Amino acid sequence: MTAFIKWFGLCLALASLTAQSNDINQSITQGVRSADSEQGGFLDVGLGIGIYRNPIYGYPEGNRAGNLLTQTGAYLNINGRYQYKDFFVEAFSESVSGFNLGYRLLNDESWAAEAILSPIFGYLGKDDSDDWQNLREREGDFAAGVRLSYYRNANIFQVRLLSDISGQHYGESASLFVGRSWQKRNWNYHALLGATYTSAAVYNHFLGVSEQEAANNSDLTAYQAGAGVDFTFEIGVAYPISEDWVFRSNYRYLSLADAVADSPLTVRDDAHILLTSLSYVF
């Protein structure tokens, strides 16, 4: 269970190595059609089942180009947001952007601009996979940047610009996401398309292979990554079973940049994840 939660988090983090007003995933899932300026917040907690194919070498253990594994397991689903004046914190387990701290710079009915702090990518290493015993640990990063959102009818356009401030790699990430929601009776359907540029410094920190690492691992070769662009597609549905309970399900596909797909630490050129959850709304 613990290992699956870590791998589940990694798969979501990869879909935001391609990372992501409010988080765009949460907004379109809820059918939001304007920027949020309300004080206070919300929280929902539940359990979900995830099925995914991870492109990272050794996640789960034994994942190889000639032995692609599908991982299935339960996860704790936590979604919440709290705003005080112009400061806010967000945490969305199933989102491409996960955790954000921020400050609202501009907000009207159609536009929102925020300064944010958020990770670009998470930890990779031997604590999570025995296959990484002879590889250096890749510590997770933390970045600062801006998030710009535009709302038009049921459509949301969001730009996200981040630069690492943790000292792990000092790389950058820039993403554009477009989302739309449809309301049919009590069912809320959504679709999301996105493209994310990631600099070579980020890719090399997490997926580059040094000469020493290659020498210590017979199935790996030395590799230095360049910059690249990943593409994300997601569809999903949410249904309020009652005032306190909500059902959600979504499928996400990620097409990896060549700079990632060519790394010996990736075993395929795409990622797939299917999530289904039932949550209690406080």
Side-chain angles (χ1 to χ4, degrees), residues 53-123:
R53 300 201 83 177
N54 199 328
I56 301 296
Y57 170 93
Y59 282 81
E61 290 179 18
N63 201 32
R64 299 284 193 278
N67 184 39
L68 299 176
L69 301 178
T70 298
Q71 185 75 7
T72 302
Y75 64 92
L76 180 64
N77 186 34
I78 301 175
N79 298 294
R81 187 178 194 274
Y82 186 81
Q83 181 168 325
Y84 175 72
K85 295 185 177 180
D86 289 321
F87 294 92
F88 63 87
V89 57
E90 302 171 342
F92 303 119
S93 298
E94 297 173 334
S95 169
V96 296
S97 55
F99 176 79
N100 298 289
L101 288 171
Y103 179 80
R104 180 66 52 82
L105 302 171
L106 168 69
N107 184 78
D108 62 26
E109 186 173 343
S110 299
W111 287 93
E114 297 137 338
I116 60 172
L117 297 172
S118 179
I120 299 176
F121 201 67
Y123 170 87

Side-chain angles (χ1 to χ4, degrees), residues 6-16 52-55 271-273:
K6 290 182 178 180
W7 291 329
F8 164 73
L10 173 65
C11 197
L12 292 185
L14 183 69
S16 62
Y52 73 90
R53 300 201 83 177
N54 199 328
H272 303 259
I273 183 166

Side-chain angles (χ1 to χ4, degrees), residues 50-197:
I51 303 172
Y52 73 90
R53 300 201 83 177
N54 199 328
I56 301 296
Y57 170 93
Y59 282 81
E61 290 179 18
N63 201 32
R64 299 284 193 278
N67 184 39
L68 299 176
L69 301 178
T70 298
Q71 185 75 7
T72 302
Y75 64 92
L76 180 64
N77 186 34
I78 301 175
N79 298 294
R81 187 178 194 274
Y82 186 81
Q83 181 168 325
Y84 175 72
K85 295 185 177 180
D86 289 321
F87 294 92
F88 63 87
V89 57
E90 302 171 342
F92 303 119
S93 298
E94 297 173 334
S95 169
V96 296
S97 55
F99 176 79
N100 298 289
L101 288 171
Y103 179 80
R104 180 66 52 82
L105 302 171
L106 168 69
N107 184 78
D108 62 26
E109 186 173 343
S110 299
W111 287 93
E114 297 137 338
I116 60 172
L117 297 172
S118 179
I120 299 176
F121 201 67
Y123 170 87
L124 290 173
K126 59 186 178 182
D127 287 351
D128 294 343
S129 174
D130 287 342
D131 293 331
W132 281 62
Q133 293 302 311
N134 295 324
L135 294 169
R136 65 174 175 84
E137 294 180 296
R138 276 77 166 165
E139 296 293 342
D141 55 30
F142 202 61
V146 295
R147 185 173 67 186
L148 308 173
S149 303
Y150 174 66
Y151 298 78
R152 182 174 176 81
N153 299 323
N155 304 298
I156 305 175
F157 303 83
Q158 192 165 97
V159 174
R160 184 178 165 99
L161 307 172
L162 292 172
S163 181
D164 175 50
I165 58 173
S166 67
Q168 294 299 329
H169 50 70
Y170 295 113
E172 296 85 30
S173 172
S175 61
L176 170 63
F177 280 84
V178 180
R180 179 177 175 84
S181 62
W182 296 266
Q183 192 77 32
K184 299 294 184 181
R185 297 183 183 273
N186 288 333
W187 293 86
N188 186 74
Y189 302 91
H190 75 265
L192 180 73
L193 290 172
T196 300
Y197 165 84

Side-chain angles (χ1 to χ4, degrees), residues 9-28:
L10 173 65
C11 197
L12 292 185
L14 183 69
S16 62
L17 197 157
T18 79
Q20 297 298 301
S21 119
N22 298 353
D23 170 79
I24 189 170
N25 277 85
Q26 189 69 14
S27 293
I28 60 174

